[in-house]
Amino acid sequence: MVARVPTSAELDDLTLARARRGDRDAFRELVERHEVQVFALLGRMLLGRRALVEDLAQETFLRVFTALHRFDPAGPARVGTWILTIATRLALDELKRRAPVATQLPGDLAADTRTDADAERRALGGAIARAVEALTPEQRAAFLLREHHGLEYGEIAEVLSIDLGTVKSRIARARSALRAALVEVKHGG
Amino acid sequence: MADDTDDTDLDASARELVMANWPGASPPAGFAARVAAVAAERRSRRRWLAPTAVACVVAAAALVVGIVVQRRQAARERAAHQLELRRISDAAAADLRGLKQEADRINREIASVQGQLLDAASAAERDRLRLQLQLQQAQLRANADRARAAAARLRDGATRTKHERDTIDLEVDRNNAMGGVQGK
């Protein structure tokens, strides 16, 4: 008889079940499984404010832990989407509370090299940084959830508690701004 | 102007370019272990706090129930006491009304005897009437004493219950009973 190897989803469910019972190792495993996605999202949402990103990531997982008993694994939302929902809402709340600060995207870094390739790279970085900064936090969130985390439009609508049309509109505006930034650099604008 | 109807994802190279120039953060080493430790610590704190909070709520509820029960008991006792005082007052008022009627009757008899005394022909008859008059005056005094005691009970009850009651004329016409007789 061949031992059945649990699939990734089953493993997630098992971890989740153990974490729900308060198993510390299972919760650590759950964090390890999702921390990269959470940091990726928060880092981009908060435009690189490192300490804040870490604080919000920790707060995200603590909220996950507190609310874990309410999460229904048989429900429509995946654990990953649910965790990203919490992280996104925390980031949006934080951005509403705080005044905008200077960001540290690559395009803003001081130039210390003079090659054409570096200049082009810096120009590209600068154009994307300006385009990203010009996006509203809500546009940023919708765009990232779609383009980086691969969520469906319906899932994004759930995450942001908005209707499908608004999701599409926000993502379209973000895409348009970023495409324009890419075109600007390509044409030496 | 952005096209709100465009739902075409960025192509792979554009997405790569954007994401490369818009970097996310990466978790520091030991982040998961640290968060798990904080979560476990909070959980154990909640475990300790939950029964404590429940105990506090139960104690507060018991206190409130105790106060309510005590107040109801006190209200019941007060009501019973008031009822008893009212019963005593009512009895005293009834006594007083009877005594007042009795005093009126004696006064009328005294007046009658006084009239007979004035008209009496013989000394023996006058002595008999005087004796009768003294007897009736003694009855009247005893009646007046009982009336004063009943009035005192009534006043006491009225003060303690603060209950408005009919006032009864407690004055007994003793002058009428005594007047004129002594001088004879």
Side-chain angles (χ1 to χ4, degrees):
Chain A
M1 188 175 165
V2 179
R4 198 174 67 86
V5 178
T7 64
S8 172
E10 282 174 320
L11 194 64
D12 213 28
D13 287 347
L14 285 174
T15 309
L16 191 64
R18 279 168 47 222
R20 281 160 70 103
R21 288 198 298 271
D23 184 318
R24 182 170 161 172
D25 289 338
F27 185 63
R28 183 179 48 73
E29 209 176 313
L30 190 73
V31 175
E32 280 170 351
R33 195 177 290 262
H34 297 282
E35 64 184 353
V36 172
Q37 292 294 304
V38 168
F39 271 84
L41 177 75
L42 291 174
R44 289 190 170 95
M45 282 295 293
L46 302 167
L47 303 176
R49 279 170 268 186
R50 179 76 210 177
L52 186 56
V53 169
E54 203 171 320
D55 283 352
L56 287 193
Q58 174 166 313
E59 184 59 28
T60 299
F61 284 110
L62 290 177
R63 288 193 184 191
V64 166
F65 187 70
T66 307
L68 210 49
H69 64 282
R70 290 199 298 270
F71 178 75
D72 178 13
R78 291 172 292 154
V79 180
T81 310
W82 178 59
I83 294 173
L84 284 179
T85 302
I86 295 172
T88 306
R89 290 183 183 173
L90 277 174
L92 288 174
D93 287 347
E94 187 64 32
L95 288 168
K96 273 180 204 157
R97 253 201 319 272
R98 288 179 179 236
V101 295
T103 56
Q104 291 186 338
L105 290 180
D108 288 345
L109 297 174
D112 56 359
T113 54
R114 295 281 177 257
T115 65
D116 287 348
D118 283 341
E120 190 181 335
R121 187 173 53 79
R122 277 198 311 279
L124 180 63
I128 289 174
R130 283 190 298 278
V132 165
E133 281 183 58
L135 297 177
T136 64
E138 289 80 9
Q139 287 171 342
R140 235 181 271 165
F143 176 82
L144 284 172
L145 290 171
R146 175 68 193 165
E147 295 286 357
H148 186 73
H149 298 279
L151 266 60
E152 298 296 331
Y153 286 106
E155 288 178 312
I156 299 170
E158 292 271 320
V159 170
L160 298 175
S161 298
I162 53 177
D163 61 63
L164 205 57
T166 310
V167 170
K168 288 182 177 177
S169 157
R170 283 182 185 170
I171 293 175
R173 282 171 187 274
R175 276 187 193 127
S176 174
L178 289 164
R179 278 194 186 114
L182 294 176
V183 168
E184 174 194 326
V185 176
K186 200 176 283 179
H187 295 294
Chain B
M1 176 94 182
D3 178 5
D4 286 359
T5 61
D6 177 16
D7 58 358
T8 318
D9 289 344
L10 290 180
D11 61 56
S13 62
R15 185 185 304 124
E16 199 178 318
L17 267 178
V18 168
M19 293 308 166
N21 286 283
W22 184 9
S26 50
F31 174 78
R34 199 169 63 243
V35 173
V38 173
E41 194 260 329
R42 283 193 186 179
R43 182 185 165 88
S44 70
R45 203 186 313 156
R46 270 203 308 275
R47 272 189 175 167
W48 179 84
L49 277 174
T52 309
V54 168
C56 287
V57 169
V58 168
L63 193 67
V64 169
V65 168
I67 289 170
V68 168
V69 167
Q70 193 187 25
R71 283 191 174 181
R72 283 190 179 172
Q73 176 70 18
R76 269 200 297 275
E77 283 174 6
R78 243 187 344 265
H81 185 61
Q82 297 262 344
L83 200 67
E84 177 63 13
L85 287 176
R86 189 175 299 176
R87 195 186 60 72
I88 292 169
S89 295
D90 288 347
D95 283 355
L96 206 56
R97 275 191 294 272
L99 290 167
K100 172 80 171 153
Q101 285 167 2
E102 180 70 8
D104 288 345
R105 185 187 63 74
I106 296 171
N107 274 326
R108 279 194 302 275
E109 284 180 9
I110 287 173
S112 165
V113 172
Q114 281 175 335
Q116 289 174 42
L117 198 59
L118 290 174
D119 296 337
S122 66
E125 181 65 6
R126 279 198 294 274
D127 286 344
R128 187 188 65 77
L129 287 170
R130 277 200 191 99
L131 201 60
Q132 187 180 348
L133 196 58
Q134 282 168 1
L135 195 64
Q136 284 170 332
Q137 285 167 345
Q139 279 178 2
L140 194 60
R141 279 194 296 275
N143 187 292
D145 288 343
R146 288 202 301 277
R148 270 193 295 278
R153 285 205 308 278
L154 190 61
R155 266 196 299 272
D156 187 42
T159 306
R160 286 158 72 181
T161 59
K162 293 185 180 159
H163 184 70
E164 286 291 328
R165 300 194 161 274
D166 295 337
T167 50
I168 296 170
D169 181 13
L170 303 177
E171 284 297 316
V172 176
D173 187 2
R174 299 185 77 171
N175 288 336
N176 186 28
M178 307 295 277
V181 178
Q182 303 296 334
K184 293 282 177 183

